[in-house]
Amino acid sequence: MKLSLHFLLPLLLLSALLCPSSAVLCHPQDKKVLLEIKKAFNDPYVLSSWNPDTDCCHWYCVKCDRTTHRIISLVIITDNKISGPIPPQVGDLPFLQTLIFHKLSNITGPIQPAIAKLKSLKFLWLSWTNISGSVPDFLSQLKNLTFLDLSFNNLTGSIPSSLSLLPNLDAIHLDRNKLTGSIPASFGEFQGSIPNLYLSHNQLTGKIPASLGKLDFNTIDFSRNKLEGDASMLFGSNKTTFLVDLSRNMLEFDLSKVEIPKNLQYLDLNHNRITGSIPVGFTADSNLQFFNVSYNRLCGEIPVGGKLQSFDYSSYFHNKCLCGAPLSSCK
């Protein structure tokens, strides 16, 4: 029996509502901006799916919000065909929450100031590139930022103190750059979230600000810099710190006065100028999985108990007069 047109039209309409896969969802302004970004990057193969005749919500490297259909993610990784500076058009994606340019070795120039317009941005990851210039102060305007990774670049200059104004940061990765100057004292004033701090492999100088002792950081990696003076404020039995790496600096403090956090699992202090002895407290309720105090000026017997004897001699050697297992016995 043939269906009359009277019945057929409602069925067709219902089918269109239930099966909108052929509908164009991409916002036209977002599509225009993405095509400008593709052009600025000289039409690389990785962006070949960015065809103006197709829906940009289906393009590779981008993601649309399921409700608004606005672009919320732009992720381009591992492509040496992409070259040049970061296009300013990235700042014209107003709903962007994630921006990742990772292992793009031919991206050069400074961090694009237009990024400051991305007020919804939560995840900014620009790493393993050849971007240069300073860590920009305008990043402090991105109040929704939860993750900042600018590692493995050629960034120079000092760390802006204004980063402490970001209330939701879980991590700051500025490691493996050419940063100079001191660690900002404002890093002891984070409000809300207390971020993991990764500042290693730079040329930072001066003392670790005493203000950092006020906060309970989960992870601190200041290794391979030129930091001096005291670092004991980073420790404390009342803290929940998981990892501390201060290796290969010029730090000088008395380790015997340090109280180790019970949750601490990774402690690397090698190649400094640390004095005193290893506290007996390091054996009590210790969760240490990695421990290295080699190349310092420690003396006295390595306390027996806990996990201190489970680390081999390389964790202790080249100290002034440290002795006891796993080193030679004390006389």
Side-chain angles (χ1 to χ4, degrees):
M1 181 176 66
K2 293 183 179 180
L3 290 173
S4 68
L5 189 61
H6 176 74
F7 290 104
L8 187 58
L9 284 176
L11 287 174
L12 291 173
L13 179 60
L14 180 62
S15 176
L17 290 173
L18 294 177
C19 306
S21 59
S22 61
V24 175
L25 302 176
C26 176
H27 193 279
Q29 180 59 26
D30 287 352
K31 175 183 273 193
K32 177 177 180 290
V33 170
L34 290 173
L35 291 173
E36 290 173 353
I37 292 173
K38 179 183 179 183
K39 183 178 180 181
F41 278 144
N42 298 314
D43 298 323
Y45 177 76
V46 71
L47 304 182
S48 59
S49 68
W50 293 19
N51 186 328
D53 296 327
T54 60
D55 185 354
C56 74
C57 286
H58 299 150
W59 290 355
Y60 184 60
C61 299
V62 299
K63 180 181 178 181
C64 285
D65 182 88
R66 291 184 178 181
T67 302
T68 66
H69 311 302
R70 301 302 298 262
I71 297 295
I72 59 172
S73 176
L74 173 58
V75 178
I76 306 177
I77 60 174
T78 316
D79 192 316
N80 59 12
K81 301 296 183 183
I82 288 182
S83 61
I86 298 172
Q89 290 90 342
V90 296
D92 296 326
L93 297 169
F95 292 87
L96 202 64
Q97 298 177 20
T98 298
L99 177 61
I100 300 177
F101 292 154
H102 177 61
K103 289 195 173 181
L104 305 179
S105 59
N106 292 319
I107 284 190
T108 57
I111 296 175
Q112 177 55 244
I115 289 175
K117 297 191 291 183
L118 301 175
K119 303 304 182 184
S120 298
L121 201 64
K122 296 180 180 179
F123 202 95
L124 179 60
W125 187 351
L126 310 174
S127 65
W128 293 80
T129 76
N130 270 305
I131 58 175
S132 56
S134 62
V135 178
D137 190 66
F138 63 69
L139 294 177
S140 64
Q141 300 174 33
L142 304 175
K143 300 300 184 184
N144 288 307
L145 208 61
T146 62
F147 184 88
L148 175 64
D149 191 336
L150 304 178
S151 62
F152 289 86
N153 291 304
N154 288 314
L155 298 172
T156 55
S158 59
I159 300 172
S161 60
S162 59
L163 292 181
S164 65
L165 299 176
L166 293 169
N168 299 304
L169 271 182
D170 293 325
I172 298 176
H173 288 261
L174 300 179
D175 43 307
R176 307 270 180 171
N177 280 287
K178 300 174 182 177
L179 299 175
T180 55
S182 58
I183 298 171
S186 65
F187 276 22
E189 306 292 340
F190 281 100
Q191 304 294 319
S193 296
I194 301 174
N196 296 331
L197 295 180
Y198 297 90
L199 308 180
S200 71
H201 294 78
N202 280 290
Q203 300 168 28
L204 301 175
T205 55
K207 296 182 178 182
I208 297 173
S211 59
L212 271 63
K214 297 186 295 183
L215 299 183
D216 186 8
F217 292 95
N218 177 270
T219 298
I220 294 174
D221 186 354
F222 296 164
S223 62
R224 293 180 183 265
N225 281 288
K226 300 176 182 178
L227 300 171
E228 303 173 343
D230 192 9
S232 60
M233 81 293 288
L234 301 176
F235 303 93
S237 59
N238 60 330
K239 295 189 176 184
T240 60
T241 309
F242 173 82
L243 179 151
V244 176
D245 190 345
L246 305 175
S247 60
R248 295 183 181 269
N249 280 285
M250 297 180 287
L251 297 167
E252 299 182 54
F253 61 95
D254 187 344
L255 186 63
S256 62
K257 297 180 180 179
V258 167
E259 294 183 343
I260 186 173
K262 291 182 179 180
N263 290 335
L264 193 66
Q265 294 193 23
Y266 187 107
L267 178 60
D268 195 346
L269 302 175
N270 81 78
H271 284 83
N272 279 287
R273 300 169 182 175
I274 300 169
T275 60
S277 58
I278 298 174
V280 175
F282 277 38
T283 65
D285 300 321
S286 174
N287 290 303
L288 283 173
Q289 303 299 315
F290 181 91
F291 182 67
N292 193 334
V293 292
S294 63
Y295 290 91
N296 278 289
R297 300 172 181 177
L298 297 172
C299 274
E301 185 172 5
I302 299 170
V304 176
K307 296 186 176 180
L308 292 184
Q309 275 68 46
S310 67
F311 306 111
D312 66 29
Y313 77 101
S314 64
S315 294
Y316 299 99
F317 67 175
H318 288 280
N319 273 284
K320 185 178 180 181
C321 47
L322 201 60
C323 59
L327 299 180
S328 57
S329 61
C330 300
K331 296 180 180 179

